Amino acid sequence: MDIYTVFLVLAVLAGFMMAFNLGANDVANSMASAVGAKAITVKQAVLIAGVLNFAGAVFLGAQVTKTISKGIINPEMITDPKVLMIGMFAALLSAGLWVLVATLTALPVSSTHSIVGSILGFGFVVGGPEVVNWGKLGFVVLSWIISPLFGAAIAGFIFSSIRKRILFRSQMLMHARKWAPFWIALTFTLVFLSFLFKTPFGKNLHLTWWDASYLAPLVTAVFWCIARLFVNKLIPELDEESEAVEELFRKMQIGTSCYVAISQGANDVANAIGPVAAIYMIARDHALLSSAEVPLWLLVVGGVGITLGIALLGHKVMETVGSKITTLNNTRGFAVDFGAATTVLIASNLGMPVSTTHASVGSIVGVGVARGFGTVNFQILFKIVLYWILTVPIAALSSIIIFQLLRWTIL
């Protein structure tokens, strides 16, 4: 067995570990608001996220993915394929270990930023500062600030609107019947646009934002008409109006959670499988192109890893994000999902490597602040932000250490 085959086997194992951690941390925190708001139980979240993430990863996942994550380094400046292969393996291993540490301490971090930091580390050692795409790195740093603030602002605005137009009115159910179709239509339009612009399947349609500007009002109008027909059935006949409104938003939140699960599987599986695909190509061709075909069996490995991760360790991060930052109910949880999804959609289409984790946590804080600063646990928030700041440097440093040890031992 030659060195290429050995590293391919090791890379598949490391990719599985990364996918496992992605499920346990990233996927879990995106389902946390639904669990925290008691729209679904932890077991239901595990089932929904497990099945839909696997389906998203295998059937809608990146068939072709950039082999160097997010273009953070220029691989053409690293001419030795063995060095590149060892470096990608070191990056995968260090990113997986950091996300595992964060998961075991029940804190949400970005797996995207972990893999970016890890690749940055070995790239810097091999090619020096000129190999690093500093502009892209600047975008990563900027997204730490912008995505939570965007998420907080949007979620806070949505929740304040729901309170003003429904919850603070004397005839709550009447106003819910009036406004619910609008929120349902807007949510489905957001899901529709996210599917078109965020998933690999939708990207293959090659629609532009100009096309979307025509489609979005039409889609909104269609969903509004459908929602008008069914909204009375969606609102149960309960004596207590506030319970009926919460029940309506609970059902809406189940829908947004399902969307989050399938789109996350489709998009984030590349974080675990992209570096493996690069190693697979180097092992096969002894060279690395700018993009790599991802074999179906690798997507299956990623899908199984994500599913096992959320099933075995997902509850840790769900508990922190869903219930320790602020108290959520269904209307607040809906505002959180809406704020996070909108932030991810807008920021990613502006070319920013936005993190769903950052957008979700920012949205939860936004909803909390809308009710008063006293409702937010800033001690937990401080720990989370500290982990975000540490993610890139720790992933980079551990990647450098693993890479150097492997290079000195093997080459």
Side-chain angles (χ1 to χ4, degrees):
M1 189 178 289
D2 62 14
I3 187 173
Y4 292 105
T5 308
V6 170
F7 267 92
L8 178 57
V9 173
L10 292 175
V12 171
L13 295 174
F16 181 81
M17 184 187 78
M18 185 64 191
F20 177 90
N21 291 315
L22 198 148
N25 199 302
D26 265 33
V27 175
N29 82 62
S30 68
M31 301 295 287
S33 62
V35 174
K38 297 184 172 51
I40 49 178
T41 64
V42 173
K43 285 182 180 176
Q44 288 169 332
V46 167
L47 185 65
I48 290 171
V51 172
L52 294 184
N53 263 275
F54 181 83
V58 175
F59 299 112
L60 301 175
Q63 298 296 332
V64 178
T65 186
K66 298 286 183 187
T67 52
I68 300 297
S69 179
K70 312 297 180 187
I72 202 73
I73 65 169
N74 180 5
E76 293 175 1
M77 297 180 71
I78 305 172
T79 54
D80 187 342
K82 286 182 184 174
V83 169
L84 195 53
M85 182 175 68
I86 292 172
M88 294 303 282
F89 174 72
L92 203 51
L93 201 56
S94 67
L97 288 173
W98 168 243
V99 180
L100 179 62
V101 168
T103 303
L104 292 176
T105 51
L107 290 172
V109 295
S110 165
S111 63
T112 304
H113 292 177
S114 299
I115 197 71
V116 165
S118 300
I119 291 175
L120 173 73
F122 97 83
F124 191 88
V125 168
V126 174
E130 60 271 20
V131 82
V132 178
N133 185 342
W134 292 105
K136 201 76 176 179
L137 185 62
F139 260 137
V140 172
V141 174
L142 203 59
S143 75
W144 294 340
I145 303 164
I146 289 179
S147 53
L149 290 181
F150 265 32
I154 295 169
F157 172 75
I158 295 295
F159 178 60
S160 298
S161 297
I162 292 171
R163 284 206 301 185
K164 180 183 174 184
R165 299 184 193 288
I166 299 175
L167 299 179
F168 287 175
R169 295 295 185 94
S170 57
Q171 292 180 301
M172 223 181 273
L173 273 184
M174 186 190 80
H175 291 288
R177 287 191 175 96
K178 176 183 173 184
W179 283 101
F182 171 74
W183 293 117
I184 292 171
L186 212 56
T187 303
F188 274 98
T189 303
L190 180 69
V191 168
F192 175 76
L193 291 176
S194 297
F195 192 80
L196 285 184
F197 291 103
K198 281 290 291 173
T199 65
F201 180 83
K203 287 176 181 175
N204 286 336
L205 299 175
H206 303 295
L207 294 176
T208 64
W209 276 101
W210 185 252
D211 299 323
S213 68
Y214 287 106
L215 278 173
L218 182 64
V219 171
T220 305
V222 169
F223 280 122
W224 184 82
C225 291
I226 296 171
R228 285 275 294 175
L229 292 173
F230 289 98
V231 77
N232 285 335
K233 291 184 180 178
L234 286 172
I235 298 179
E237 295 297 333
L238 297 179
D239 293 334
E240 183 58 50
E241 287 191 330
S242 60
E243 285 184 14
V245 173
E246 289 297 328
E247 180 63 18
L248 170 66
F249 278 91
R250 187 183 77 83
K251 288 173 178 170
M252 290 163 65
Q253 207 184 357
I254 291 171
T256 55
S257 299
C258 290
Y259 163 71
V260 168
I262 198 163
S263 67
Q264 202 160 28
N267 288 294
D268 290 1
V269 71
N271 284 341
I273 297 306
V276 184
I279 294 171
Y280 171 77
M281 190 200 298
I282 295 171
R284 188 187 61 188
D285 303 330
H286 296 186
L288 180 66
L289 303 176
S290 59
S291 61
E293 289 285 339
V294 181
L296 184 64
W297 64 269
L298 267 183
L299 292 174
V300 172
V301 168
V304 172
I306 290 173
T307 305
L308 276 179
I310 192 169
L312 296 180
L313 292 180
H315 63 279
K316 286 179 172 287
V317 174
M318 272 188 212
E319 189 181 357
T320 300
V321 177
S323 58
K324 289 188 177 177
I325 300 174
T326 192
T327 305
L328 295 175
N329 59 13
N330 299 126
T331 45
R332 296 168 205 161
F334 170 78
V336 168
D337 285 350
F338 193 93
T342 308
T343 301
V344 170
L345 177 65
I346 294 173
S348 59
N349 281 289
L350 291 174
M352 296 186 71
V354 66
S355 160
T356 308
T357 301
H358 295 186
S360 298
V361 171
S363 298
I364 289 172
V365 174
V367 166
V369 168
R371 298 168 53 232
F373 282 91
T375 64
V376 179
N377 185 339
F378 284 99
Q379 197 174 1
I380 286 287
L381 187 61
F382 174 76
K383 286 182 184 175
I384 292 172
V385 173
L386 182 65
Y387 267 55
W388 290 356
I389 294 170
L390 291 175
T391 291
V392 169
I394 285 185
L397 184 63
S398 57
S399 172
I400 290 170
I401 293 170
I402 294 170
F403 172 71
Q404 289 290 32
L405 288 174
L406 287 171
R407 186 159 74 165
W408 290 334
T409 307
I410 296 168
L411 298 181

